[in-house]
Amino acid sequence: MKCALCGNKTTMFTSWPVNVGHGLIEKIDSACLLKLGIKKTDIRSQNAIKRFSIDSLRKMIENGENFSYSEYKSELKHQKNLNKENYENYFAEFKENGSVYYPLIFRYDTKQIFFALDFLQNVYQIHSFSEIADFKIDKNETFISNTKKDISFSKGITGYLIAGSTGGVIGASSGNSNTKTLKEVSAITFTIRFYDGSYTSFALSGHTEDVANANKIELELKKNCQRK
């Protein structure tokens, strides 16, 4: 095993994971960790740099920069506030000028879609119609069987004539059984694939309103995405 920054040999006990979320998880050795200003006992900083890319860590070392956990947390807070502001502004703009089929808002003047993926974390995406390659819909369906017995009183009367009271009970309880199978949708998942190879997914519940909303989203995607 080699350090992704300096190329020196290292082991799983003397290396730290980085580059998480940027592709292949890499490892850096203790020497490079120290070059970043992080001690072996500084667990908070070690966990924080896990999601830093190799390129960004290499630039920090080249520029002689030390990692600062307090600055890192401050930047995260600033970015979170910025994301919230951007989310709210884009959401309001698209809602005013487009059609809302939550979590999507279709804007026809700019031919774009706003994906409101997580309003609590202010996660959103904006894609043009022409970026969408195709989409898939998966429905989580369950089937419920309900059997109903139709009692025939004419058979009960015949029973009395043939076998007395016992025949009447048997006859009255006999009849045709009707079994109805109902289909219920518990969840609807959309997976939308883009021409750059990326994709995004979101799910709706099986409630009546969400099912109706899912049908509208499907129609809008069919009408507006540029399938080839």
Side-chain angles (χ1 to χ4, degrees), residues 139-143 183-187:
K139 295 183 180 180
N140 189 358
E141 299 175 333
T142 56
F143 295 88
K183 181 173 68 174
E184 291 188 353
V185 178
S186 58

Side-chain angles (χ1 to χ4, degrees), residues 17 19 26 64 72 86-87 164 166 174 182 184 201 204:
N19 211 53
E26 303 281 3
Y72 166 74
N86 288 340
Y87 181 98
T166 304
S174 64
L182 304 176
E184 291 188 353
S201 298
L204 300 174

Side-chain angles (χ1 to χ4, degrees), residues 149-176:
K149 195 169 188 178
D150 296 328
I151 298 175
S152 175
F153 290 100
S154 61
K155 288 187 178 183
I157 295 172
T158 304
Y160 274 114
L161 294 175
I162 295 174
S165 61
T166 304
V169 173
I170 296 172
S173 64
S174 64
N176 296 325

Side-chain angles (χ1 to χ4, degrees), residues 25 83 95 103 124 144 182 193:
I25 297 177
N83 287 345
K95 185 178 179 180
Y124 69 91
I144 301 174
L182 304 176
R193 187 177 64 87

Side-chain angles (χ1 to χ4, degrees), residues 75-90:
E75 178 60 27
L76 281 184
K77 185 177 181 180
H78 170 71
Q79 191 61 46
K80 185 177 181 180
N81 292 334
L82 184 61
N83 287 345
K84 182 179 180 180
E85 182 180 348
N86 288 340
Y87 181 98
E88 292 174 347
N89 289 340
Y90 280 124

Side-chain angles (χ1 to χ4, degrees), residues 123-214:
V123 178
Y124 69 91
Q125 294 177 7
I126 297 175
H127 294 279
S128 64
F129 294 168
S130 59
E131 290 180 62
I132 301 176
D134 53 38
F135 65 92
K136 180 178 69 171
I137 303 174
D138 293 313
K139 295 183 180 180
N140 189 358
E141 299 175 333
T142 56
F143 295 88
I144 301 174
S145 296
N146 185 17
T147 301
K148 185 178 181 182
K149 195 169 188 178
D150 296 328
I151 298 175
S152 175
F153 290 100
S154 61
K155 288 187 178 183
I157 295 172
T158 304
Y160 274 114
L161 294 175
I162 295 174
S165 61
T166 304
V169 173
I170 296 172
S173 64
S174 64
N176 296 325
S177 296
N178 295 324
T179 300
K180 293 183 179 180
T181 301
L182 304 176
K183 181 173 68 174
E184 291 188 353
V185 178
S186 58
I188 304 170
T189 302
F190 283 79
T191 302
I192 302 175
R193 187 177 64 87
F194 305 101
Y195 281 114
D196 64 1
S198 63
Y199 66 90
T200 190
S201 298
F202 59 88
L204 300 174
S205 74
H207 295 158
T208 304
E209 298 82 359
D210 278 351
V211 171
N213 202 38

Side-chain angles (χ1 to χ4, degrees), residues 17-57:
V18 294
N19 211 53
V20 177
H22 300 279
L24 183 66
I25 297 177
E26 303 281 3
K27 296 289 187 72
I28 62 173
D29 64 10
S30 56
C32 288
L33 194 68
L34 286 174
K35 289 178 182 178
L36 291 166
I38 302 174
K39 298 178 181 180
K40 293 181 181 180
T41 55
D42 187 356
I43 306 299
R44 290 190 313 173
S45 296
Q46 292 168 20
N47 288 330
I49 66 166
K50 283 181 180 179
R51 297 196 172 276
F52 279 54
S53 69
I54 287 296
D55 288 339
S56 63
L57 294 175

